[in-house]
Amino acid sequence: MQATIQDTVRTLIIPLQQRNLLVPNVAVAEIVPYVRPRAVEDAPEWLLGTMNWRGLTIPIMSFDRLYGGEDASLAQARIAVLNTATRTNGLPFYAIVTAGIPQLKRVNESMLQAQPGTAGKGELGRVEIGTLSTVIPDLEALETAVAQIWKKVA
């Protein structure tokens, strides 16, 4: 059976240093050019700092650092501004440094092949789209980690 437009989900493949994140397009508010974050005192190393975005000061974090990886090269870095799923934590947006330009991809269930093994820390699962390995991040856990630190340092 051919997949219809209703069966597809618009996603973004966000390149990091050692993995690609697969996130729903609606989770991403905007992709912006890299800006050097303003440092935040007493923040963990994965909270890179803050940036001004649409009149708001939002935290910028490194998914790679938070979950034990190496930072992305800044040569083609961008910043993905993410919507938070719940506004109850007082944080409407946060940002992740990418290792390149995210790609829009429509996916459906038939395109995804689950990768064997267990998901890593901060991951809901791992899937392949064709020959591309991707990680489905646990956005709720990520948002919670950022919000908890943000309340302490902001």
Side-chain angles (χ1 to χ4, degrees):
M1 180 174 177
Q2 185 101 26
T4 65
I5 199 79
Q6 291 85 10
D7 295 333
T8 64
V9 176
R10 290 175 52 128
T11 65
L12 278 176
I13 298 172
I14 299 175
L16 301 180
Q17 190 64 30
Q18 298 175 342
R19 60 193 123 204
N20 296 297
L21 300 181
L22 180 66
V23 299
N25 192 45
V26 298
V28 180
E30 188 174 4
I31 304 297
V32 298
Y34 179 80
V35 294
R36 171 177 252 149
R38 283 187 308 283
V40 174
E41 255 184 66
D42 300 323
E45 69 174 342
W46 57 264
L47 182 63
L48 303 175
T50 66
M51 66 181 263
N52 284 328
W53 179 75
R54 296 185 182 182
L56 300 171
T57 299
I58 63 171
I60 303 174
M61 56 92 59
S62 166
F63 186 94
D64 288 322
R65 278 189 190 180
L66 179 60
Y67 295 115
E70 304 243 346
D71 270 337
S73 162
L74 298 180
Q76 294 190 5
R78 299 288 189 275
I79 295 176
V81 178
L82 301 178
N83 299 301
T84 56
T86 62
R87 304 274 168 117
T88 58
N89 60 24
L91 185 67
F93 304 96
Y94 63 100
I96 294 178
V97 173
T98 75
I101 300 170
Q103 299 174 345
L104 184 61
K105 181 93 172 156
R106 286 185 184 266
V107 298
N108 61 48
E109 190 176 356
S110 69
M111 298 169 67
L112 303 176
Q113 169 111 23
Q115 291 181 329
T118 59
K121 190 171 182 182
E123 301 173 1
L124 293 177
R126 295 178 182 197
V127 294
E128 288 184 5
I129 304 170
T131 60
L132 182 66
S133 280
T134 64
V135 167
I136 299 171
D138 184 342
L139 293 177
E140 187 175 325
L142 187 60
E143 177 183 323
T144 299
V146 173
Q148 286 175 347
I149 294 299
W150 189 243
K151 285 178 185 176
K152 293 178 185 176
V153 300

